[in-house]
């Protein structure tokens, strides 16, 4: 036998493998069954009599020995298709599932619309129907970490971190960028609009430590200074003179940190001169770490939540601590405070234990009058303009609407709050899809209303999941394959010790008779669903298996690996058929074209490669601008979708290799892509915890 000679160009190497005397006999392939063979726990679902469970094979240069299903002639080769102009394709963001619940104050209500940060986007949803959304996109390269809303000025300010930590000021009505404020060098930790919406305070992170006051009419700097790391900022109207009459100066407060110590500072801004005056509020011998900040409606009192289970009340005119209000038995540590605009006697406080409480001042002290418990800790609180509704965002990614009279909470939207590792449509239906997360969640979403149909919480990182009409198969980092009911989320069975160092990839046969899994050490294994036993072990990859693609016939599977190769396996004969390698980097994702004739890969080589199994090098290859981590192929359209570290969804014409559409908005690496079975929608998921559902127009 002879191996395919290595190409001098180094583009790729290819080793076709011969089978028994150099003759492939399709009639020798056994039908799928479920019986075991002679006590060695090898099922007939994959093997034929007398075949041993090995993955090594002899090599041959005779391409005609490839199974007919895997062969393609020049008439079916993608490269040989007749030339034509690229397809006209456009994509539109239909819906975003995602709320940055791990970050404080990234939720607000304005004009009966809920504004929330989701990755690098701002999502604006109708408070009455959260399915009606619009998006503010294209402003940030990374995740939004701070947000503020100017109700009088109809403006939204957002800030982030990274190499371009710009503060973006958006027009609420049009969604256009009004100002891009570029004075911060390292990141932004706090934002706040003045009560009349005229000025915006932007505060740099611990490396930056700059404080700027901006005029929102002109976008120019009014005042600036270097200060300690400011973590919180709130505005309180006008500075008052000794007779408590408002002056021309503006009042705001900050919480700053220097080392392990924090302090509360009151500031006076004189806009005509750009002068800033500051006074540190005296706390006596008390030491606190502050979590939230809000002024009373008249600006005479300043409330600051602490990690000690109380909130401090400062008297503004004397710059001193007036008292502490202990709420530890009600809300734990107060993480968010909302003060109504029309009264000093009511406060809404959200805490670390998930409780939102309505505190009423009885003339002597604040007392909890009503309370409601939410999931997770409370990250944000925002009151509607008519004070009838209180919107709360929790650390679990859930947004609640609370009736302030009856104090009952209803779920407005739900989302993930950790990196999403995979997504999957059921092959039979476009009405639902599943996602899995690094925090151990598997969720089934409806594409009708984008609400949760089933939720599974394991606490163990999920590396991949596959959804079918009947079951959900999940691969976990503890090496276990777990199978759940797709409607109820109940556990049906487990396959323990499927892979010693963790399951990294999954594929499920269309007849649901077996599961193919990939592992951290490069092994590919096949499991009988009925018996839950290993029926085939295939080992040639030397590093992690990143992706699997199963042929429709259920007889062959492709595996791509971090070792720069992808292999084609004959499952019935339990042997490797072909091996393809690329010269650089991991192959992160692999997919088959609908006709099952071509293989498409993306990875660290920063290109999209289209392969024919009988050819050593890609028949087509083009740059996609960065490392690719996910690929999806449409069933009825000649288009593919790719995503990766550049955080952009790209749609390519498969036959012309032209980029025909692109969509941005993710603020971290895209980890998975999936077309719906009817090719009308595309789902993209990312490490930032966001899910984007795109409409496809072709």
């Amino acid at each position: 036998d002879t191996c395919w000679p290595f190409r001098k160009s180094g583009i790729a190497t290819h080793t076709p493998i011969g089978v028994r005397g150099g003759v492939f006999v399709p009639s020798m392939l056994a039908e799928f069954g479920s019986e075991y063979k002679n006590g060695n726990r090898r099922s007939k679902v994959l093997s034929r009599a007398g075949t041993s469970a090995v993955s090594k094979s002899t090599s041959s240069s005779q391409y005609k020995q490839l199974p007919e299903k895997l062969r393609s002639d020049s008439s079916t080769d993608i490269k040989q298709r007749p030339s034509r102009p690229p397809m006209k394709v456009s994509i539109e963001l239909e819906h975003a599932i995602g709320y940055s619940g791990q970050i404080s104050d990234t939720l607000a209500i304005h004009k009966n619309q809920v504004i929330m940060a989701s990755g690098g986007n701002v999502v604006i949803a109708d408070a009455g129907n959260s399915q009606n959304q619009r998006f503010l996109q294209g402003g940030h390269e990374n995740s939004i970490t701070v947000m503020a809303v100017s109700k009088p000025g109809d403006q939204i300010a957002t800030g982030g971190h990274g190499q371009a930590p710009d503060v973006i000021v958006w027009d609420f009505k049009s969604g256009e960028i009004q100002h891009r404020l570029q004075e911060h060098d390292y990141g932004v930790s706090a934002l706040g609009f003045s009560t009349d919406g005229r000025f915006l305070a932007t505060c740099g992170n611990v490396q930056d430590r700059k404080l700027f006051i901006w005029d929102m009419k002109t976008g120019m700097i009014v005042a600036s200074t270097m200060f300690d790391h400011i973590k919180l900022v709130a505005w309180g109207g006008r500075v008052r003179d000794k007779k408590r009459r408002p002056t021309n100066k503006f009042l705001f407060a900050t919480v700053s940190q220097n080392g392990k110590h924090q302090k509360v500072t009151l500031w006076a801004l004189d806009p005509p001169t750009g002068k800033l005056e500051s006074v540190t509020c005296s706390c006596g011998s008390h030491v606190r770490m502050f979590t939230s900040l809000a002024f009373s409606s008249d600006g005479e009192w300043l409330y600051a939540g602490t990690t000690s289970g109380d909130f401090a009340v400062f008297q503004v005119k004397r710059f001193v601590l007036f008292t502490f209000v202990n709420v530890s038995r009600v809300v734990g540590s107060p993480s968010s405070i909302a003060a109504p605009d029309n009264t000093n006697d009511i406060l809404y406080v959200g805490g670390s234990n998930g409780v939102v409480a309505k505190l009423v001042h009885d003339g002597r002290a604040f007392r909890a009058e009503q309370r409601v418990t939410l999931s997770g800790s409370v990250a944000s609180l925002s009151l509607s303009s008519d004070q009838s509704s209180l919107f709360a965002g929790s650390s679990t990614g859930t947004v609640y609407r609370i009736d302030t009279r009856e104090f009952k909470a209803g779920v407005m939207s739900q989302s993930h709050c950790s990196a999403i590792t995979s997504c999957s449509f059921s092959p039979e239906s476009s009405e639902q899809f599943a996602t899995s997360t690094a925090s151990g969640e598997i969720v089934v979403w409806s594409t009708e209303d984008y609400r949760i149909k089933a939720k599974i919480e394991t606490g163990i990182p999920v590396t991949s999941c596959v959804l079918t009409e009947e079951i959900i198969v999940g691969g976990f980092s503890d090496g276990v394959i777990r199978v759940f009911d797709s409607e109820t989320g109940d556990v049906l069975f487990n396959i323990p010790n499927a892979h010693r160092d963790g399951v990294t990839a999954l594929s499920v046969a269309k007849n649901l008779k077996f599961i193919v899994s990939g592992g951290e050490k490069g092994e590919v294994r096949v499991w009988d669903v009925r018996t839950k036993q290993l029926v085939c072990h295939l080992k040639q990859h030397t590093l992690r298996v990143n992706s699997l693609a199963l042929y429709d016939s259920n007889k062959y599977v492709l595996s791509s690996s971090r070792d720069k190769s992808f292999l084609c396996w004959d499952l019935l004969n339990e042997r490797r058929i072909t091996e393809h390698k690329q010269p650089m980097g991991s192959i992160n994702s692999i997919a088959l074209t609908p006709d099952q004739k071509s293989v498409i890969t993306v990875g660290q080589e920063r290109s999209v490669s289209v392969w024919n199994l009988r050819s050593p090098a890609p028949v087509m290859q083009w740059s996609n601008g960065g490392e690719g981590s996910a690929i999806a192929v449409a069933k009825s359209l000649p288009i593919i979708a790719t995503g990766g570290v550049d955080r952009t969804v790209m749609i390519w014409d498969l036959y012309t290799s032209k980029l025909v559409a692109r969509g941005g908005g993710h603020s971290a690496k895209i980890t998975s892509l999936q077309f719906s079975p009817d090719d009308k929608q595309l789902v993209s998921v990312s490490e930032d915890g966001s899910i984007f559902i795109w409409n496809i127009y072709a």
Side-chain angles (χ1 to χ4, degrees):
D1 293 339
T2 58
C3 293
W4 182 269
F6 286 21
R7 292 173 62 90
K8 292 182 180 180
S9 63
I11 293 178
T13 61
H14 171 67
T15 310
I17 304 301
V19 292
R20 295 199 174 188
V23 179
F24 183 85
V25 185
S27 62
M28 297 175 67
L29 301 181
E31 294 296 326
F32 285 60
S34 58
E35 299 177 2
Y36 277 81
K37 175 72 177 175
N38 296 330
N40 63 356
R41 308 188 74 83
R42 291 179 57 248
S43 169
K44 284 187 179 179
V45 282
L46 297 176
S47 62
R48 59 176 182 165
T51 305
S52 59
V54 295
S55 62
K56 293 183 179 179
S57 229
T58 59
S59 62
S60 172
S61 61
Q62 300 178 28
Y63 289 105
K64 65 181 180 180
Q65 296 173 10
L66 284 172
E68 185 67 27
K69 181 66 178 176
L70 307 183
R71 296 172 60 191
S72 63
D73 54 32
S74 61
S75 64
T76 59
D77 197 332
I78 286 178
K79 192 176 181 180
Q80 302 297 325
R81 297 291 177 93
S83 60
R84 58 163 176 76
M87 283 196 67
K88 293 182 179 180
V89 179
S90 63
I91 61 173
E92 174 190 57
L93 184 57
E94 160 72 12
H95 194 84
I97 300 173
Y99 159 62
S100 304
Q102 302 288 347
I103 306 172
S104 299
D105 299 326
T106 51
L107 173 74
I109 178 70
H110 179 46
K111 292 185 175 179
N112 204 37
Q113 292 187 299
V114 178
I115 306 165
M116 48 192 169
S118 176
N121 298 322
V122 177
V123 180
I124 303 175
D126 191 330
N129 181 6
S130 60
Q131 312 315 313
N132 294 332
Q133 294 182 335
R134 58 190 180 98
F135 311 97
L136 308 183
Q137 295 178 282
H140 295 280
E141 295 181 359
N142 299 298
S143 294
I144 294 171
T145 56
V146 286
M147 187 181 79
V149 176
S150 168
K151 296 183 180 180
D154 267 358
Q155 291 175 316
I156 302 169
T158 54
H161 56 85
Q163 296 182 347
D166 301 342
V167 175
I168 308 297
V169 181
W170 311 81
D171 180 77
F172 175 79
K173 293 180 179 178
S174 67
E176 301 293 328
I177 296 177
Q178 286 189 331
H179 305 294
R180 182 181 288 271
L181 313 178
Q182 300 177 308
E183 291 299 321
H184 293 287
D185 299 321
Y186 299 100
V188 183
S189 60
L191 296 172
F193 283 100
S194 60
T195 53
D196 63 357
R198 177 66 187 271
F199 303 106
L200 173 68
T202 66
C203 311
N205 63 8
V206 65
Q207 295 174 289
D208 190 275
R209 298 193 307 127
K210 298 175 184 175
L211 167 63
F212 291 98
I213 309 296
W214 304 82
D215 188 333
M216 287 295 94
K217 287 188 176 180
T218 63
M220 305 297 290
I221 296 173
V222 176
S224 64
T225 186
M226 294 290 292
F227 202 64
D228 296 335
H229 172 211
I230 296 176
K231 304 185 73 174
L232 301 168
V233 62
W235 290 77
R238 298 297 183 102
V239 175
R240 298 177 182 269
D241 60 19
K242 292 183 179 180
K243 295 184 178 180
R244 311 314 298 156
R245 294 173 300 190
T247 67
N248 292 327
K249 296 181 180 180
F250 289 78
L251 171 69
F252 66 97
T254 60
V255 170
S256 59
Q257 184 165 347
N258 189 352
K260 296 182 180 180
H261 301 286
Q262 289 189 349
K263 62 182 179 181
V264 177
T265 304
L266 291 173
W267 299 78
L269 166 68
D270 186 8
T273 63
K275 185 177 180 181
L276 282 172
E277 300 173 327
S278 64
V279 178
T280 300
C281 293
S282 173
C283 294
S285 59
H286 300 285
V287 178
R288 292 289 192 276
M289 301 297 286
F290 298 99
T291 58
S292 52
L293 201 61
F295 276 94
S296 63
S297 60
D298 59 6
E300 295 287 357
W301 304 95
L302 177 66
Y303 309 112
T306 76
T307 58
S308 303
D310 54 22
F311 65 88
V313 181
F314 293 92
Q315 191 174 28
V316 173
K317 68 178 180 180
R318 296 181 179 177
F319 317 116
V320 296
L321 174 67
F322 183 76
T323 187
F324 284 105
V325 179
N326 191 335
V327 290
S328 59
R329 295 183 178 181
V330 182
V331 300
S333 299
S335 53
S336 187
I337 298 176
D341 296 334
N342 56 359
T343 178
N344 284 355
D345 296 332
I346 297 176
L347 279 181
Y348 297 98
V349 180
S352 58
N353 63 359
V355 173
V356 177
K358 179 180 181 180
L359 306 182
V360 178
H361 198 277
D362 61 5
R364 296 182 179 181
F366 281 103
R367 303 186 186 279
E369 184 177 88
Q370 294 172 299
R371 68 187 73 179
V372 64
T373 302
L374 314 178
S375 64
S377 61
V378 180
S380 301
L381 289 177
S382 183
L383 266 171
S384 61
S385 57
D386 61 2
Q387 320 292 315
S388 64
S389 297
L390 178 68
F391 291 82
S394 77
S395 60
T396 62
T398 307
V399 177
Y400 295 89
R401 182 172 187 167
I402 303 170
D403 187 307
T404 55
R405 293 182 180 179
E406 298 182 0
F407 229 68
K408 294 181 179 180
V411 174
M412 181 179 170
S413 66
Q414 293 175 280
S415 58
H416 292 300
C417 264
S418 61
I420 303 177
T421 55
S422 68
C423 64
S424 174
F425 270 98
S426 168
E428 300 86 5
S429 173
S430 299
E431 296 179 356
Q432 61 183 17
F433 65 92
T435 54
S436 63
T437 72
S439 62
E441 292 180 340
I442 299 177
V443 175
V444 180
W445 306 87
S446 168
T447 55
E448 295 294 326
D449 56 9
Y450 305 107
R451 293 190 178 273
I452 292 177
K453 298 182 69 174
K455 186 173 184 179
I456 301 159
E457 296 178 281
T458 65
I460 304 167
V462 190
T463 56
S464 58
C465 73
V466 178
L467 175 67
T468 73
E469 283 292 295
E470 300 177 5
I471 62 174
I472 308 168
V473 183
F476 290 78
S477 63
D478 62 356
V480 179
I481 296 174
R482 295 176 172 87
V483 180
F484 308 89
D485 186 287
S486 61
E487 291 186 0
T488 64
D490 296 335
V491 178
L492 298 179
F493 63 87
N494 297 336
I495 301 177
N497 303 313
H499 294 272
R500 183 175 181 180
D501 296 295
V503 181
T504 58
L506 282 177
S507 188
V508 179
K510 285 191 173 182
N511 57 15
L512 302 183
K513 287 189 175 182
F514 66 90
I515 299 168
V516 186
S517 62
E520 191 68 41
K521 296 299 183 181
E523 65 275 13
V524 176
R525 291 174 176 168
V526 184
W527 307 88
D528 189 329
V529 169
R530 187 180 69 86
T531 62
K532 294 82 175 172
Q533 298 295 325
L534 176 68
V535 296
C536 185
H537 172 77
L538 307 167
K539 181 67 171 75
Q540 181 173 324
H541 289 300
T542 58
L543 296 174
R544 164 190 171 122
V545 176
N546 289 326
S547 181
L548 296 168
L550 189 64
Y551 279 77
D552 290 343
S553 66
N554 292 332
K555 296 179 182 180
Y556 312 100
V557 69
L558 300 166
S559 60
S560 67
S561 170
R562 193 176 286 175
D563 65 7
K564 303 185 290 186
S565 73
F566 79 85
L567 309 177
C568 180
W569 301 94
D570 181 346
L571 296 179
L572 297 180
N573 292 284
E574 300 180 25
R575 68 181 71 223
R576 185 197 73 195
I577 299 177
T578 62
E579 177 186 18
H580 288 71
K581 285 189 175 181
Q582 63 182 25
M584 294 178 58
S586 167
I587 300 178
N588 294 331
S589 187
I590 192 167
L592 279 161
T593 54
D595 61 6
Q596 310 278 284
K597 299 293 186 181
S598 299
V599 179
I600 309 172
T601 62
V602 294
Q604 291 180 339
E605 204 176 42
R606 299 188 174 189
S607 63
V608 180
S609 301
V610 182
W611 308 77
N612 187 316
L613 290 187
R614 63 178 185 161
S615 302
V619 296
M620 292 179 68
Q621 192 173 48
W622 63 89
S623 172
N624 64 342
E627 179 182 344
S629 56
I631 189 168
V633 181
K635 286 81 174 171
S636 59
L637 299 171
I639 58 173
I640 62 172
T642 62
V645 296
D646 63 357
R647 300 161 292 186
T648 303
V649 175
M650 297 185 181
I651 308 295
W652 306 88
D653 186 312
L654 184 56
Y655 298 125
T656 66
S657 71
K658 300 299 183 182
L659 180 66
V660 292
R662 63 191 302 159
H666 287 294
S667 58
K669 182 177 77 173
I670 295 172
T671 55
S672 186
L673 294 164
Q674 192 81 39
F675 281 100
S676 61
D678 61 9
D679 288 335
K680 292 181 179 180
Q681 290 187 314
L682 173 72
V683 172
S684 61
V685 299
S686 168
E687 287 182 346
D688 62 13
S690 61
I691 305 169
F692 289 172
I693 298 94
W694 306 86
N695 287 335
I696 307 295
Y697 302 102

